[in-house]
Amino acid sequence: MEDGGTRHLSHECRVDMMEEEGEPLTGGDGLTGAGVILIPKLPHVEFSLECRDLIGSGRDRKPNALVQVAVIDPREQYLVSHACTEIVEGSRDPLFLTGVTFPPEYPASPETLVKLTVYDVRDKARDNSSFLGSATFSVSDLLRSKDDQLTLNLRSSDGVLAVGTVLVSRVNMGEMEEGDMDHITADVQQAQKCTLVCESSQGTLNDKDNSPLTGAVFKNPVCKVYKFQTVDSKWMLVREQMEECTLSFSIPRQLLHLYIQEDMRRIQELRDLGELSPHWDNLRKEVIGRYGQVIAAYQETLAELNKITGPSFKPSCSKAQRYLEFIPINLHTQRMRVMCPRQTDAFYDVITVGAPAAHFQGFKGGGLQRLLSRHEAEKKSFSTAYQCIYYSPEHTAKAQEVLHSVGHLQPLISGLADQLLQAAQQHSMAGLREALKTLAGKTEQFVHALKDELVKSALLALHAAQPGYVTKNQNQTLPGHQGHSHQDHPSPSQRGQQGQSPPQNPGHSPGQPSATDSPVVVCNNVDGGSQTAPIREDGQTPLKRQDSIPCHKEYDEEEWDRVWADVAKSLNCVIAMVDKLQEQEPINNNQEQPIPKQVLADVITSHNPEGDWREQLCPLVVRLKECVAEVVVRARRAMTFVLLQEAACSIPQGLFLKQRRDVVFSQALAALACGFVMRLYAGMEDKGFLRQLHLVGLVAQFESLLSTYSEEIGMLEDMEVGISDLHRVAFKITQAKTDDPCDLQPVVIGRRDHYTVEVPLPRLAFQTLPHEIKEGKALQVYPVLFNVGINEQQTIADRFGDISLQERINQRNFEILDSYYKSLSDKVPSECLPCFQTQTDLKDLLGTLGQNVVTKKRKNVEILWLAGTICRRLNGIRFTSCKSAKDRTSMSVTLEQCALLRDEHQLNKDYFTRALDCMRSRLTQGEVVCQWDSDPEAACSVAENKPASRHFYPIALLLVSSHLLVVWLILSLVFLLAKYQ
């Protein structure tokens, strides 16, 4: 299995192959290879291969035949490998299931020469094969042939002896005729002749699969097409198409840019805090320095990513490269389309990706889940050492939310205020009322965002951190008094007269002053007790104080309350003035509810009601904008100080963990965006799906096959946090500026606490969407993760290790999935969900999944099968992951596809194993590489079928066996030592 490749459906490897056996590089008409690409387009040409009367290298030995297909490179005059069949063992008349395709986009012409070389593969493990014969023909020969068939003689190396014939049959992979299907018999020999696999770099079954819409995000498609027999002797056409996704690099690049912008804003906000005491100023400098290091590293990574051209995915062999750590591993889409007579075409999509994890940084200390838990427990001790207030993650998240809200709403309020003045200047009462309505709504939203005790507490803490600060009752405190005292803002005159308060002693908690300190600046309720604050005069109930919020009973609350309340008062004045102006309009007598006269009398009477509307409104609007600006300055500084203390308490591990979390989230978001876009494109004509999308959202089910052993425990811990962070992501559908592919690329906006992915659609497609989606409603995605390890390392973990992490993940995410189903049931009728042949009720499936989640069973792959089935029944997005999205991932995908063919499309039981083998095999020059996991029984037990053959290499078996033996011996020795001690 190549490290850099993909799964069972791989890209054609163009390997240069020197001219063999003296075969000339010209065709029968004397045309050389130089003319191969003169004609850029040709019809879609596909053909199957069959050999007859092969003469093996031994008299009594039947050959293991394989055909290599090559074309002539016109520029370098050598053969280039184009395709390769599977190996048909022990047959003189082999029928190859793998066909050959020359799609329209292939750089060839009707005069392109094709060389077929037949090998006898003696030893697959050692790549030992012998040449049997070869034949050459041109594409035009096949196009002009009678009955679309060519019969060619295979010639030996000297070109004299005929060693058999090869039959080249052109295949039309268009729509299947029902009558044609009825004439196909169920005879096994005939069935083999009708089963075909075609590999190509472009699909042909349906233009929808390769439309310009999908081509903007998905590229380099690779296809395989099969015909399989059903239980009623009919034939289904099955098509696999795998594609790369441009979002593998596009999303991480955008995130890096946003990370850099956010951290640079944070640095500027820290500088805008103004003058601080030496202790806090030193902490600020250290935090700014740390942010600067992160920014420099991100800028360097972004610059390197911008230089990369070529494939749109990161191969697993590059997972240890630093500059690629933000890129997901082997992110690909896999679509299986099934066409059956008298049935509607069915699509089954899955996204395959390597586990989102910080592979470059390693897992010696565990993954994010363990590191974050450990770090959060240590932050309190760090807060004591750095003399900071400990703020919980909820408080820091609230601080970031407030910062974002005020930063977002202030320019909106300012712009709406200008619109109000413009409407007043135009004497447009309708425009005035509309602008006022929007302005009032945004201003109320602004005031509500600041209605939190954290803002007041942070203002107190910031005030206490300024130079020369003393509490107003400092002179009343006896020397050496250890009780808590309360504080207030010093006046500007006091601030100038006071000297700088000495910094606290190292290791001293801010809530416990020493004898040399000024009276207590803050108090932490370390006992965990909290008292319910009384209801204030404005009717608001303050939040309960947490142990991280300082007491501030004697803090000058009036100053903040006055500034905060001035915003609402200014808005009321504007509303009252608009009502006053409306009274002058005889046409419209509708008025807002009256404002208290005592509040507005001075303001309204100071203006001439008969004068110009703009002149009367302008002072009030200016006052409103000034009040908003003053509140923003105070709130922004307060919340920035909260984040400064959080960053200071996090040194030195905090920013490192943030970087690791950024890396994991980048990989997870790229995969999620890929899956969302693929699901959206597939459901554009499904009204039920679109209704579900805007009413409830979509479930995104991540299937993980990681073991709970060794470094994969750290990967799973990273993945758990990364998938959980996706809850903060929303999607919006927008109308693209043009239909150019560049304008159809999704765009990420937002900040670390909340990102929005905007997915542009062409105008015609956008107009077909429901009104709610076109209006820009945020579309939610509910990611869930289920993990079941299936390899030999999981066997060790099940017997001797700890699988509690896996059990906790499955239980927690089952609860999320069950909650989503209940919400969906309440808002969306069952008719909106897809129909399946299996009629098991969704509620029953969820109940069975819940039972399996709590059942103690080794390698319980039933959990994965049930979760995947439920996801498809819920119109969800399916993801499958293992360490590198190769071996275990390909096993899961192929098994699921064959099971779907069996359960939903009546695949003949005799074809199940054969279909599984065909989908899992990947063929290269003279060698079969089958993507088998080292524990295939675990995955195959889901379908209660096992492959007919298993291609294990002896060396690999020996290494695995020796590894297990060594582990067993070591564990036995440990147990013996523990027993006798």
Side-chain angles (χ1 to χ4, degrees), residues 544-559:
K544 293 182 180 181
R545 287 195 191 94
Q546 306 294 329
D547 61 351
S548 61
I549 298 183
C551 301
H552 52 81
K553 290 184 179 179
E554 295 185 17
Y555 172 62
D556 187 9
E557 294 184 2
E558 290 77 9
E559 182 178 1

mmCIF file of all heavy atoms in Angstrom, residues 544-559:
data_model
loop_
_atom_site.group_PDB
_atom_site.id
_atom_site.type_symbol
_atom_site.label_atom_id
_atom_site.label_comp_id
_atom_site.label_asym_id
_atom_site.label_seq_id
_atom_site.Cartn_x
_atom_site.Cartn_y
_atom_site.Cartn_z
ATOM 1 N N LYS A 544 -24.860 34.765 39.555
ATOM 2 C CA LYS A 544 -24.175 34.373 40.779
ATOM 3 C C LYS A 544 -22.680 34.506 40.595
ATOM 4 O O LYS A 544 -22.137 34.149 39.561
ATOM 5 C CB LYS A 544 -24.521 32.933 41.141
ATOM 6 C CG LYS A 544 -25.986 32.737 41.526
ATOM 7 C CD LYS A 544 -26.240 31.304 41.912
ATOM 8 C CE LYS A 544 -27.689 31.101 42.303
ATOM 9 N NZ LYS A 544 -27.951 29.702 42.699
ATOM 10 N N ARG A 545 -22.022 34.993 41.632
ATOM 11 C CA ARG A 545 -20.582 35.133 41.534
ATOM 12 C C ARG A 545 -19.919 33.768 41.526
ATOM 13 O O ARG A 545 -20.237 32.899 42.303
ATOM 14 C CB ARG A 545 -20.047 35.932 42.715
ATOM 15 C CG ARG A 545 -20.368 37.413 42.640
ATOM 16 C CD ARG A 545 -19.510 38.171 43.639
ATOM 17 N NE ARG A 545 -19.978 39.529 43.764
ATOM 18 C CZ ARG A 545 -20.821 39.943 44.671
ATOM 19 N NH1 ARG A 545 -21.296 39.077 45.539
ATOM 20 N NH2 ARG A 545 -21.201 41.190 44.728
ATOM 21 N N GLN A 546 -18.977 33.596 40.609
ATOM 22 C CA GLN A 546 -18.169 32.389 40.585
ATOM 23 C C GLN A 546 -16.944 32.623 41.458
ATOM 24 O O GLN A 546 -16.641 33.747 41.870
ATOM 25 C CB GLN A 546 -17.770 32.056 39.137
ATOM 26 C CG GLN A 546 -18.957 31.969 38.178
ATOM 27 C CD GLN A 546 -19.860 30.816 38.520
ATOM 28 O OE1 GLN A 546 -19.396 29.802 39.017
ATOM 29 N NE2 GLN A 546 -21.147 30.963 38.270
ATOM 30 N N ASP A 547 -16.207 31.557 41.670
ATOM 31 C CA ASP A 547 -15.035 31.696 42.535
ATOM 32 C C ASP A 547 -13.939 32.505 41.874
ATOM 33 O O ASP A 547 -12.940 32.824 42.492
ATOM 34 C CB ASP A 547 -14.499 30.323 42.930
ATOM 35 C CG ASP A 547 -14.072 29.517 41.715
ATOM 36 O OD1 ASP A 547 -14.357 29.962 40.581
ATOM 37 O OD2 ASP A 547 -13.461 28.456 41.917
ATOM 38 N N SER A 548 -14.104 32.832 40.591
ATOM 39 C CA SER A 548 -13.069 33.579 39.895
ATOM 40 C C SER A 548 -13.419 35.052 39.745
ATOM 41 O O SER A 548 -12.638 35.812 39.209
ATOM 42 C CB SER A 548 -12.852 32.985 38.505
ATOM 43 O OG SER A 548 -14.054 33.080 37.770
ATOM 44 N N ILE A 549 -14.607 35.487 40.191
ATOM 45 C CA ILE A 549 -15.022 36.868 40.007
ATOM 46 C C ILE A 549 -14.801 37.630 41.308
ATOM 47 O O ILE A 549 -15.291 37.227 42.356
ATOM 48 C CB ILE A 549 -16.502 36.945 39.583
ATOM 49 C CG1 ILE A 549 -16.688 36.248 38.237
ATOM 50 C CG2 ILE A 549 -16.982 38.376 39.523
ATOM 51 C CD1 ILE A 549 -18.096 36.328 37.706
ATOM 52 N N PRO A 550 -14.078 38.727 41.260
ATOM 53 C CA PRO A 550 -13.799 39.465 42.495
ATOM 54 C C PRO A 550 -15.035 40.157 43.038
ATOM 55 O O PRO A 550 -15.940 40.520 42.305
ATOM 56 C CB PRO A 550 -12.747 40.486 42.068
ATOM 57 C CG PRO A 550 -12.971 40.660 40.602
ATOM 58 C CD PRO A 550 -13.450 39.334 40.092
ATOM 59 N N CYS A 551 -15.048 40.333 44.373
ATOM 60 C CA CYS A 551 -16.132 41.070 45.004
ATOM 61 C C CYS A 551 -15.974 42.557 44.697
ATOM 62 O O CYS A 551 -14.878 43.067 44.574
ATOM 63 C CB CYS A 551 -16.110 40.861 46.517
ATOM 64 S SG CYS A 551 -16.277 39.132 46.992
ATOM 65 N N HIS A 552 -17.072 43.279 44.625
ATOM 66 C CA HIS A 552 -16.981 44.684 44.261
ATOM 67 C C HIS A 552 -18.154 45.480 44.832
ATOM 68 O O HIS A 552 -18.711 46.355 44.163
ATOM 69 C CB HIS A 552 -16.940 44.856 42.743
ATOM 70 C CG HIS A 552 -18.047 44.139 42.040
ATOM 71 N ND1 HIS A 552 -19.314 44.653 41.942
ATOM 72 C CD2 HIS A 552 -18.070 42.938 41.424
ATOM 73 C CE1 HIS A 552 -20.083 43.816 41.269
ATOM 74 N NE2 HIS A 552 -19.352 42.764 40.952
ATOM 75 N N LYS A 553 -18.568 45.172 46.076
ATOM 76 C CA LYS A 553 -19.747 45.837 46.619
ATOM 77 C C LYS A 553 -19.533 47.336 46.752
ATOM 78 O O LYS A 553 -20.471 48.109 46.597
ATOM 79 C CB LYS A 553 -20.099 45.217 47.977
ATOM 80 C CG LYS A 553 -20.638 43.800 47.868
ATOM 81 C CD LYS A 553 -21.047 43.285 49.226
ATOM 82 C CE LYS A 553 -21.612 41.875 49.130
ATOM 83 N NZ LYS A 553 -21.991 41.339 50.447
ATOM 84 N N GLU A 554 -18.317 47.750 47.080
ATOM 85 C CA GLU A 554 -18.070 49.176 47.245
ATOM 86 C C GLU A 554 -17.410 49.777 46.007
ATOM 87 O O GLU A 554 -16.995 50.917 46.026
ATOM 88 C CB GLU A 554 -17.177 49.408 48.471
ATOM 89 C CG GLU A 554 -17.871 49.009 49.763
ATOM 90 C CD GLU A 554 -17.015 49.349 50.969
ATOM 91 O OE1 GLU A 554 -16.081 50.150 50.831
ATOM 92 O OE2 GLU A 554 -17.305 48.804 52.030
ATOM 93 N N TYR A 555 -17.336 48.992 44.981
ATOM 94 C CA TYR A 555 -16.810 49.530 43.727
ATOM 95 C C TYR A 555 -17.839 50.502 43.151
ATOM 96 O O TYR A 555 -19.042 50.317 43.300
ATOM 97 C CB TYR A 555 -16.544 48.387 42.754
ATOM 98 C CG TYR A 555 -16.171 48.821 41.361
ATOM 99 C CD1 TYR A 555 -15.021 49.554 41.134
ATOM 100 C CD2 TYR A 555 -16.993 48.499 40.288
ATOM 101 C CE1 TYR A 555 -14.673 49.943 39.862
ATOM 102 C CE2 TYR A 555 -16.660 48.885 39.006
ATOM 103 C CZ TYR A 555 -15.503 49.604 38.798
ATOM 104 O OH TYR A 555 -15.158 49.987 37.533
ATOM 105 N N ASP A 556 -17.362 51.549 42.505
ATOM 106 C CA ASP A 556 -18.245 52.601 42.003
ATOM 107 C C ASP A 556 -19.068 52.076 40.836
ATOM 108 O O ASP A 556 -18.769 52.330 39.678
ATOM 109 C CB ASP A 556 -17.415 53.816 41.589
ATOM 110 C CG ASP A 556 -18.312 54.996 41.231
ATOM 111 O OD1 ASP A 556 -19.527 54.895 41.467
ATOM 112 O OD2 ASP A 556 -17.787 55.985 40.707
ATOM 113 N N GLU A 557 -20.118 51.325 41.156
ATOM 114 C CA GLU A 557 -20.974 50.778 40.120
ATOM 115 C C GLU A 557 -21.742 51.876 39.385
ATOM 116 O O GLU A 557 -22.117 51.699 38.224
ATOM 117 C CB GLU A 557 -21.962 49.779 40.716
ATOM 118 C CG GLU A 557 -21.315 48.536 41.266
ATOM 119 C CD GLU A 557 -22.352 47.535 41.751
ATOM 120 O OE1 GLU A 557 -23.551 47.838 41.605
ATOM 121 O OE2 GLU A 557 -21.955 46.474 42.237
ATOM 122 N N GLU A 558 -21.964 52.993 40.077
ATOM 123 C CA GLU A 558 -22.764 54.040 39.458
ATOM 124 C C GLU A 558 -22.130 54.533 38.172
ATOM 125 O O GLU A 558 -22.833 54.878 37.216
ATOM 126 C CB GLU A 558 -22.949 55.212 40.433
ATOM 127 C CG GLU A 558 -23.843 54.909 41.617
ATOM 128 C CD GLU A 558 -23.143 54.078 42.684
ATOM 129 O OE1 GLU A 558 -21.923 53.897 42.565
ATOM 130 O OE2 GLU A 558 -23.824 53.605 43.620
ATOM 131 N N GLU A 559 -20.803 54.564 38.132
ATOM 132 C CA GLU A 559 -20.143 55.081 36.935
ATOM 133 C C GLU A 559 -20.434 54.191 35.728
ATOM 134 O O GLU A 559 -20.797 54.666 34.659
ATOM 135 C CB GLU A 559 -18.637 55.176 37.178
ATOM 136 C CG GLU A 559 -17.886 55.758 35.995
ATOM 137 C CD GLU A 559 -16.398 55.888 36.271
ATOM 138 O OE1 GLU A 559 -15.961 55.499 37.370
ATOM 139 O OE2 GLU A 559 -15.688 56.362 35.381
#
